[in-house]
Amino acid sequence: MSQHIGAPASPIVSVGERVLVGQKVADSEAFISAPMHSSVSGEVKAIEPRLGGDGKKVLSIVITPDDKEETISFKGLSDEEAKDPDRVRAAVREAGVVGMGGAGFPTHVKLTPPKDKPIFDVIINGGECEPYLAADHRNFLERGDKILDGLKIIMATVGAKRGYIGIETNKIDAIYHMDKLASSEGNIKVMPLNAIYPQGAEKQLIETILGKEVPSGGLPSDVGALVQNAGTAAAISEAVRGGRPLIERTISVSGHGMASFTNIRAKIGTPISHIIEECGGFKGKIGKVVVGGPMTGVALFDLSVPVIKGTSGVIAFTVEDTSIPNPRPCIRCGRCVDICPVRIMPNYISQYIEVDQVDRADDFDVMDCIECGLCSYVCPATRPFIQLIRHAKAKIIAEQKREEK
């Protein structure tokens, strides 16, 4: 019930009830939230806390498929209705569309920028957020028309004048394909990007494509920009044109521990163990199975957790891949500072956190960290920067909430 940023959804079905493909099974009255829909037809077997990918239990609806795949009827907006921004936002919300790059921010909220911050530029993020992931690459090749249509819907909804599709140059076939599809669109450009991690982070993408820097603590709307993931753009098109809810997504299955590397369309709610089995199972001695990418993903201790809207990949690493030396004291080499894409100082921040001086870490802009993991990757002392920074962020946010009360 919590596959997105914001308030969790609440079940609107009961145990024993039969549901159809696309039927709404949970919703919320909160603005920053999103409804859930069944991806299968079958019987609701349980409504109870189940383990999620983050290791915490969250209220879940368990549905046993009946293999009949009976589907509710979907109805999209007419061409005339699609010109109304409010109708588009309502259709996107009703379809449960959220950001599919990983953050899971409700898309209808993103399509409602503050009135004092007009949007001039919309960017479709095809930078693939991490190594090993290629889901957006396949989306461009197989669903490029829907991505382009989704971009045009977004631009019309927020009143943007220009659209950009950013694709890394190691996906040259996707660049050519999208360039051909967009060739007749005078205000939309396909932008080849250097294949550099973390190019897919929205603030870095804005700086690369628009040459604008989002201010510290700010949002893309502060510089008149809006960024959407490629898969999200396709989901917007399906929601508006056909009324289809977000019930499946493209996932990359990769890693040296997998028998085969592939991209698949998986139904939301599918257990990760089923995904692995479908792709041929494991190969060799497994050290970790990660949901997401190798830099920011989460290692699983139970493969029964489900695919959710923000699941971009499943990566199996061998024991050799996951052998990491114990961390040592900082040697002050400065590599973490040199490589940081948001220009903060992970070395000082981590040392303040270690002595519980979180307020000093806040002074060094710890909240600007995008948790890309590059600092840990280059550190010769193998220091756990990201774990420390996440700890500090959690404490700062908790303190802010206490002060608000």
Side-chain angles (χ1 to χ4, degrees):
M1 297 296 96
S2 186
Q3 301 185 35
H4 51 266
I5 290 175
S10 298
I12 56 174
V13 292
S14 305
V15 175
E17 184 175 341
R18 186 168 185 271
V19 296
L20 304 180
V21 176
Q23 180 178 332
K24 185 160 62 173
V25 295
D27 206 345
S28 170
E29 294 183 357
F31 178 59
I32 304 180
S33 186
M36 308 292 170
H37 303 77
S38 176
S39 60
V40 296
S41 62
E43 182 181 340
V44 178
K45 285 293 185 182
I47 299 177
E48 61 189 19
R50 287 289 184 102
L51 193 65
D54 59 358
K56 300 177 182 177
K57 287 194 172 183
V58 61
L59 184 63
S60 306
I61 299 174
V62 184
I63 301 172
T64 301
D66 58 14
D67 297 329
K68 295 181 180 179
E69 289 296 285
E70 292 186 49
T71 306
I72 66 169
S73 59
F74 303 132
K75 183 181 179 182
L77 302 181
S78 66
D79 291 342
E80 190 63 32
E81 290 172 333
K83 295 178 182 179
D84 183 343
D86 288 335
R87 281 181 175 268
V88 169
R89 295 186 189 104
V92 169
R93 188 203 180 282
E94 186 64 18
V97 181
V98 302
M100 297 167 71
F105 195 80
T107 301
H108 69 279
V109 180
K110 214 168 189 180
L111 296 180
T112 315
K115 292 183 179 180
D116 60 340
K117 295 180 180 179
I119 302 298
F120 303 105
D121 303 289
V122 175
I123 299 173
I124 296 301
N125 185 356
E128 294 290 1
C129 52
E130 297 203 39
Y132 285 87
L133 303 182
D136 287 339
H137 186 189
R138 296 312 309 174
N139 280 331
F140 279 124
L141 294 177
E142 299 178 19
R143 308 173 75 209
D145 54 340
K146 291 183 179 179
I147 293 173
L148 180 60
D149 183 53
L151 170 57
K152 293 193 288 186
I153 291 172
I154 297 167
M155 291 172 64
T157 301
V158 301
K161 299 178 180 178
R162 298 173 293 271
Y164 302 90
I165 302 173
I167 307 175
E168 292 177 331
T169 51
N170 61 354
K171 303 170 183 65
I172 196 69
D173 51 352
I175 292 174
Y176 285 142
H177 180 61
M178 294 306 299
D179 199 41
K180 183 178 180 180
L181 289 177
S183 60
S184 61
E185 307 292 339
N187 59 345
I188 295 176
K189 294 182 179 179
V190 177
M191 305 292 290
L193 308 170
N194 291 330
I196 301 174
Y197 176 79
Q199 188 84 260
E202 65 177 10
K203 292 183 179 180
Q204 281 62 49
L205 197 60
I206 289 170
E207 188 170 357
T208 299
I209 292 179
L210 302 180
K212 298 178 180 180
E213 184 174 345
V214 178
S216 175
L219 297 171
S221 58
D222 293 327
V223 293
L226 186 151
V227 180
Q228 283 286 13
N229 169 265
T232 309
I236 290 172
S237 174
E238 291 182 338
V240 172
R241 305 300 184 192
R244 183 176 177 81
L246 179 53
I247 54 176
E248 60 182 22
R249 63 156 297 143
T250 309
I251 295 176
S252 292
V253 182
S254 187
H256 296 145
M258 283 300 304
S260 64
F261 306 160
T262 187
N263 294 292
I264 62 173
R265 292 287 290 173
K267 290 179 177 291
I268 304 300
T270 305
I272 296 298
S273 58
H274 292 195
I275 301 292
I276 293 169
E277 182 182 351
E278 176 68 20
C279 296
F282 293 131
K283 180 182 67 175
K285 191 173 182 180
I286 302 301
K288 284 184 180 180
V289 176
V290 173
V291 171
M295 304 296 283
T296 64
V298 177
L300 300 178
F301 61 87
D302 188 328
L303 299 181
S304 68
V305 304
V307 171
I308 62 172
K309 296 176 183 180
T311 303
S312 54
V314 176
I315 308 176
F317 292 107
T318 62
V319 172
E320 292 78 10
D321 292 331
T322 54
S323 176
I324 302 175
N326 292 325
R328 301 184 300 278
C330 175
I331 63 173
R332 303 179 186 277
C333 64
R335 292 184 186 180
C336 60
V337 178
D338 290 339
I339 204 168
C340 179
V342 293
R343 305 181 186 94
I344 60 176
M345 302 177 76
N347 51 353
Y348 285 125
I349 288 171
S350 66
Q351 290 176 69
Y352 281 127
I353 297 169
E354 284 180 313
V355 295
D356 203 28
Q357 293 187 21
V358 176
D359 55 337
R360 294 290 291 131
D362 198 11
D363 292 339
F364 276 78
D365 300 319
V366 66
M367 297 302 291
D368 283 346
C369 174
I370 60 173
E371 301 179 22
C372 65
L374 283 175
C375 49
S376 295
Y377 186 78
V378 302
C379 179
T382 62
R383 289 177 56 74
F385 290 112
I386 297 305
Q387 288 81 359
L388 291 168
I389 286 173
R390 285 174 176 166
H391 171 70
K393 281 184 169 183
K395 291 192 73 171
I396 291 169
I397 292 172
E399 182 60 31
Q400 290 173 344
K401 288 181 177 179
R402 278 195 295 268
E403 291 176 357
E404 289 173 0
K405 291 180 180 180

